[in-house]
Amino acid sequence: MDGIHDLGGMAGFGTIAYEEDEPVFHEPWQATAFALNIVGIGVLRNHNADEYRHSIERMLPVHYLQACYYERVLTGAATLFVEKGLVDLDDLEARAGGSFPLAAPNADDPMVDLTPQPVARFKVGDRVGVKDIHPKGHTRVPRFCRGKTGTVLHVAPAFSFPDAAAHGGAFRKEHTYHVEFASTDLWSDAGSENESVVVDLWDSYLEAAAS
Amino acid sequence: MDGIHDLGGMAGFGTIAYEEDEPVFHEPWQATAFALNIVGIGVLRNHNADEYRHSIERMLPVHYLQACYYERVLTGAATLFVEKGLVDLDDLEARAGGSFPLAAPNADDPMVDLTPQPVARFKVGDRVGVKDIHPKGHTRVPRFCRGKTGTVLHVAPAFSFPDAAAHGGAFRKEHTYHVEFASTDLWSDAGSENESVVVDLWDSYLEAAAS
Amino acid sequence: MSGQTKIASPEARTAALKDALSKKGLIPEGALEGVIQTASEEWDPKNGARVVARAWVDADFRKRLLEDGTKACAELGYEGIQGEYIVALEDEPTRHNVIVCTQCSCTAWPVLGLPADWYKSPEYRARVVREPRKVLHEMGLDLAKDIAIRVWETSAETRYMVIPCRPEGTEGWSEEQLASLVTREALVGIALVTSA
Amino acid sequence: MSGQTKIASPEARTAALKDALSKKGLIPEGALEGVIQTASEEWDPKNGARVVARAWVDADFRKRLLEDGTKACAELGYEGIQGEYIVALEDEPTRHNVIVCTQCSCTAWPVLGLPADWYKSPEYRARVVREPRKVLHEMGLDLAKDIAIRVWETSAETRYMVIPCRPEGTEGWSEEQLASLVTREALVGIALVTSA
């Protein structure tokens, strides 16, 4: 989805807050929230990592920006525990003593039609174009590189295709590619010389481009 | 700027709250904030409408999404009154009895290089492409139509070019065009048949496209 | 940005800005009140409703309105700030028009009034360009799939108003009666005009 | 979504979720504690520092690390969740590497540890792909204009780590000494390694 989570290149954000010698968790609840999600994925098999990422993406934009990372983790995991029926929202709110905002429901028709590519179609040095797709559901192709052309630096092994895995689609694996885009190709004449972004992209997001 | 204000097509927002018989202003301060900005533009000539729009665009994204419309108006206008030296932030905060969050400063190098087009280059029925520009400053070409091709429905008179006017650039006027884009061209196969968006675009945002 | 930590209320911030400018003598007497009066009383969707009703009963006016909305609205006395270039969009049985300003909240103040909160909300601005039929449905307007929807994005200086289809069963109604049917919602395209 | 109006604190919400799952007997004994212990003690940027130090002193290991980061890290015992496919990025005097995950906050937990808040912040995620030199400057790393910057976006399953340039003046240092120089910041590319 073209959501608030897809932050790459969005302007208007301020200085990055940096904390010296930051602890792994600032508060015990953060560790618990993190662990609840890991257990939800790895032990309970309540959800997979793609569903989890998408559950966070479905948070209302203002909540997404207000929440710290672990509140996002908590919200996404809780949404999936509720959606899969393991817990009940009313029960959660009664226990919490207040409202428990969850992420919004999944979109109808979340996937766009991308031909599966079980065999790697590209090799190092190939010029590839990124399809200008706008799925309503989960996808891992950042908006900033859609419609852009880059160069393959590396061919990675085949991994589960996230757009399908997040929405109960047919399991499939595809190679991903480390594709380098010049900053000036991404941001036109507001980009910078001598800077590039390398995006890791599944095969079916791509098409061959003129070199 | 590719900021939070450029909301068109962003997914993840919920239901639209609708109020029956809504008043013009819900609270007196909203009327005052509105009037302060109008007086700032029309009477004090402190700023123009393009600077004003951009001052709101420069709000931090989370503040932008949290604020109601008139808080955005207030924040933008106050930012410009402070930046132009008519009032002092410390004074404002002393008077307000608390902090007074302003918008972030203007970007360095806010404009991209677009050849001025004093004479209308296009006519009704022409196919035009929208340049894929990403100015760091103010622009009125929504991100959702950049790089897309549409059809001119109407040629409007020449108006001051906002990207320049917002940043003290050389005054110039250009015609704008009502350009229609098919939903399926904007959002690919996640768009809808029988729906289109008409965007009003200045001449120099555009280039001729194959028909 | 400051040593203050607690954010003052928008009300307190507005008062502070007004006071700071006033203390410097920058606000002419009555200037704010004048703006507020204009915004509250002159800019009114009833103006747009009168334009629509006139267009329904007067074919020559309708023609002038479609050819030069600014001039036609000025005939009825509706002009000025944010009405410098008005374009009227005529609904047809097979094509519906709806207006938005995705990047801020522009609209034709002299004929539509200041926009309602829903029009200015991030929800409307984000969604209506991408899923207009769904948005209209949620707002109570169901349009059949074969009715085309044109969403007009107020991204430059054109200020739009919708001329909805005249409802059936209003033959012989007076211009005033007809105007009373035209809501502010219909002028933006999130509702139709009905005679019920 | 609910009749409750006041939002419970994240702490209260977390406790509620834990209690609700526990009450149903869904959380195996020690499962949460085990995850927290692993995250707090095993996943540690010191692991990545040891990998880097080994690569600096052992040319064969460096070669294996660049060819198959996953296997090379596993040689030192660093593997598992979010370390299934590790790619090491070697800085050069004329090219600097920096890592981000713009869409969530992925990183190579076994070698880098759980990421710091700055890495997970909307500010870093939004800005570093578009203006890396400025972001690095603000974070204390000034790179000359003729040094190319590659920003690696962790958008799929590859988990990156940076092998910074070995600082001058460290000839003859032990692997352990060298590892002590390599900060978690350097492993992501927002800092260089210095011997001072």
Side-chain angles (χ1 to χ4, degrees):
Chain A
M1 66 188 277
D2 295 345
I4 188 67
H5 71 284
D6 189 5
L7 286 165
M10 185 180 278
F13 287 96
T15 307
I16 295 147
Y18 174 81
E19 181 185 345
E20 201 88 38
D21 295 322
E22 189 183 320
V24 176
F25 300 107
H26 286 81
E27 299 179 49
W29 71 264
Q30 299 182 329
T32 304
F34 176 77
L36 284 167
N37 181 55
I38 296 292
V39 167
I41 295 175
V43 179
L44 302 179
R45 306 283 174 190
N46 180 69
H47 51 272
N48 64 39
D50 300 298
E51 291 174 296
Y52 159 65
R53 286 197 188 92
H54 191 53
S55 69
I56 290 179
E57 295 165 2
R58 293 188 272 128
M59 287 171 68
L60 289 182
V62 69
H63 186 198
Y64 187 99
L65 289 180
Q66 284 169 326
C68 76
Y69 176 74
Y70 289 108
E71 186 180 343
R72 298 198 295 270
V73 171
L74 169 68
T75 306
T79 299
L80 292 165
F81 284 123
V82 169
E83 288 178 348
K84 307 261 183 174
L86 265 63
V87 296
D88 179 79
L89 178 58
D90 289 338
D91 179 46
L92 287 182
E93 296 195 324
R95 290 176 191 276
S99 86
F100 195 134
L102 299 181
N106 275 288
D108 299 332
D109 197 14
M111 290 179 266
V112 298
D113 192 19
L114 295 171
T115 308
Q117 303 293 350
V119 176
R121 290 182 299 157
F122 307 106
K123 61 183 193 305
V124 172
D126 281 357
R127 293 285 284 170
V128 291
V130 183
K131 291 179 187 166
D132 182 36
I133 55 170
H134 296 268
K136 292 173 188 158
H138 184 59
T139 189
R140 291 292 285 178
V141 52
R143 210 166 14 157
F144 70 77
C145 70
R146 295 185 201 155
K148 307 293 184 179
T149 301
T151 304
V152 173
L153 297 185
H154 177 82
V155 183
F159 291 106
S160 168
F161 187 63
D163 304 35
H167 298 288
F171 178 80
R172 73 199 218 209
K173 283 178 138 188
E174 291 182 4
H175 288 271
T176 76
Y177 303 88
H178 302 171
V179 181
E180 181 172 37
F181 302 90
S183 171
T184 47
D185 284 341
L186 295 176
W187 326 112
S188 185
D189 51 350
S192 297
E193 295 297 328
N194 230 9
E195 295 175 9
S196 62
V197 183
V198 183
V199 187
D200 196 1
L201 295 164
W202 269 268
D203 200 314
S204 63
Y205 295 150
L206 303 172
E207 54 202 2
S211 59
Chain B
M1 66 188 276
D2 295 345
I4 187 69
H5 70 284
D6 190 6
L7 286 166
M10 184 181 277
F13 287 96
T15 307
I16 295 147
Y18 173 80
E19 180 184 344
E20 201 87 38
D21 295 323
E22 188 183 320
V24 176
F25 299 108
H26 286 82
E27 299 180 49
W29 71 264
Q30 298 182 329
T32 304
F34 176 77
L36 283 166
N37 181 55
I38 296 292
V39 167
I41 294 175
V43 179
L44 302 180
R45 308 281 174 192
N46 180 69
H47 50 272
N48 63 39
D50 300 298
E51 291 174 296
Y52 159 65
R53 285 198 188 91
H54 191 53
S55 69
I56 290 179
E57 295 165 2
R58 293 188 271 129
M59 288 171 67
L60 289 182
V62 69
H63 186 198
Y64 187 99
L65 289 180
Q66 284 169 325
C68 76
Y69 175 75
Y70 289 108
E71 186 180 342
R72 298 198 295 270
V73 171
L74 169 68
T75 306
T79 299
L80 292 164
F81 284 123
V82 168
E83 288 179 349
K84 308 262 184 174
L86 264 63
V87 297
D88 180 80
L89 178 58
D90 290 338
D91 180 45
L92 287 182
E93 296 194 324
R95 290 176 189 275
S99 87
F100 196 135
L102 299 180
N106 275 288
D108 299 334
D109 197 13
M111 290 178 266
V112 298
D113 192 20
L114 296 171
T115 309
Q117 303 292 351
V119 176
R121 290 182 298 158
F122 306 107
K123 60 182 192 308
V124 172
D126 281 358
R127 291 286 286 171
V128 291
V130 184
K131 291 179 188 167
D132 182 35
I133 55 171
H134 296 268
K136 292 173 189 159
H138 185 58
T139 188
R140 291 292 285 177
V141 53
R143 210 169 13 158
F144 69 77
C145 70
R146 295 185 201 153
K148 307 293 183 178
T149 301
T151 304
V152 174
L153 296 184
H154 177 83
V155 183
F159 292 105
S160 168
F161 187 64
D163 304 35
H167 298 288
F171 178 79
R172 74 198 216 209
K173 283 178 138 188
E174 290 183 4
H175 288 272
T176 74
Y177 304 88
H178 302 173
V179 181
E180 182 173 36
F181 302 89
S183 171
T184 46
D185 283 342
L186 294 176
W187 325 113
S188 185
D189 52 349
S192 297
E193 294 299 327
N194 229 10
E195 295 175 8
S196 63
V197 183
V198 184
V199 188
D200 197 1
L201 295 165
W202 269 268
D203 200 315
S204 64
Y205 295 151
L206 302 172
E207 55 201 2
S211 58
Chain C
M1 199 173 290
S2 80
Q4 300 279 357
T5 47
K6 190 163 173 281
I7 295 176
S9 71
E11 184 174 9
R13 279 179 268 155
T14 303
L17 181 60
K18 180 184 169 184
D19 291 350
L21 289 166
S22 299
K23 201 185 152 220
K24 290 197 167 181
L26 291 168
I27 302 190
E29 177 144 354
L32 298 176
E33 294 76 8
V35 171
I36 294 169
Q37 192 183 345
T38 302
S40 306
E41 296 169 20
E42 289 183 31
W43 298 332
D44 193 330
K46 289 195 173 63
N47 301 343
R50 287 187 202 104
V51 172
V52 168
R54 173 73 52 90
W56 283 344
V57 300
D58 181 339
D60 284 345
F61 179 80
R62 174 181 162 278
K63 190 160 175 284
R64 293 200 298 282
L65 178 64
L66 291 174
E67 277 173 10
D68 187 337
T70 322
K71 211 186 269 182
C73 289
E75 283 182 37
L76 304 195
Y78 312 136
E79 59 190 331
I81 179 173
Q82 294 295 307
E84 292 91 347
Y85 186 64
I86 295 172
V87 167
L89 309 167
E90 194 175 40
D91 279 349
E92 299 161 40
T94 57
R95 187 191 311 276
H96 182 80
N97 296 287
V98 59
I99 304 170
V100 67
C101 173
T102 66
Q103 300 176 96
C104 43
S105 296
C106 296
T107 188
W109 296 347
V111 282
L112 300 186
L114 289 182
D117 277 355
W118 64 261
Y119 183 87
K120 299 175 287 197
S121 70
E123 288 79 9
Y124 181 73
R125 292 161 50 198
R127 294 181 57 204
V128 76
V129 291
R130 174 132 183 197
E131 46 182 14
R133 212 172 297 265
K134 189 173 179 198
V135 164
L136 294 177
H137 166 74
E138 287 178 17
M139 299 185 89
L141 174 54
D142 278 307
L143 294 176
K145 283 218 157 185
D146 60 349
I147 297 178
I149 301 177
R150 265 187 181 153
V151 183
W152 296 78
E153 152 71 313
T154 313
S155 44
E157 300 298 335
T158 310
R159 295 294 170 267
Y160 299 103
M161 64 175 289
V162 174
I163 311 179
C165 295
R166 179 172 173 168
E168 288 179 27
T170 58
E171 296 75 14
W173 286 36
S174 73
E175 200 176 316
E176 201 173 324
Q177 281 177 305
L178 288 168
S180 74
L181 299 178
V182 182
T183 62
R184 68 191 297 196
E185 289 76 14
L187 289 163
V188 184
I190 64 155
L192 303 180
V193 178
T194 60
S195 59
Chain D
M1 199 171 290
S2 80
Q4 301 277 358
T5 48
K6 190 163 174 281
I7 294 176
S9 71
E11 184 174 8
R13 279 180 269 155
T14 303
L17 181 59
K18 180 184 169 186
D19 291 349
L21 289 165
S22 299
K23 200 185 152 219
K24 290 198 166 181
L26 291 168
I27 302 191
E29 177 146 354
L32 297 176
E33 294 74 10
V35 171
I36 294 170
Q37 192 184 343
T38 302
S40 305
E41 296 170 21
E42 289 184 31
W43 299 332
D44 192 331
K46 288 196 172 65
N47 302 344
R50 286 188 201 104
V51 172
V52 168
R54 173 74 52 92
W56 283 345
V57 299
D58 180 340
D60 284 343
F61 179 79
R62 174 181 161 280
K63 190 159 175 285
R64 293 199 299 282
L65 178 64
L66 292 174
E67 278 172 9
D68 187 338
T70 322
K71 210 186 270 183
C73 289
E75 284 183 36
L76 303 195
Y78 312 135
E79 60 189 331
I81 179 171
Q82 294 295 308
E84 292 90 346
Y85 185 64
I86 296 171
V87 167
L89 308 167
E90 193 175 42
D91 279 348
E92 299 162 38
T94 58
R95 187 191 313 274
H96 182 80
N97 296 288
V98 59
I99 303 170
V100 66
C101 173
T102 65
Q103 300 176 96
C104 44
S105 296
C106 296
T107 187
W109 296 348
V111 281
L112 301 185
L114 287 183
D117 277 356
W118 64 261
Y119 182 87
K120 298 175 289 196
S121 70
E123 289 79 9
Y124 180 74
R125 292 161 50 196
R127 294 181 56 204
V128 76
V129 290
R130 172 129 185 200
E131 46 182 14
R133 211 171 298 266
K134 191 174 177 199
V135 164
L136 294 177
H137 166 75
E138 286 178 17
M139 299 187 89
L141 174 55
D142 277 308
L143 293 177
K145 283 219 159 187
D146 60 349
I147 297 179
I149 301 178
R150 265 189 182 153
V151 183
W152 297 77
E153 152 71 313
T154 313
S155 45
E157 300 299 334
T158 309
R159 296 293 171 266
Y160 300 103
M161 64 175 289
V162 174
I163 311 178
C165 294
R166 179 172 173 168
E168 288 179 27
T170 58
E171 296 75 14
W173 286 35
S174 73
E175 202 175 315
E176 201 175 326
Q177 281 177 306
L178 289 168
S180 74
L181 299 178
V182 182
T183 62
R184 68 191 296 196
E185 289 78 15
L187 290 164
V188 182
I190 65 155
L192 303 180
V193 177
T194 59
S195 58

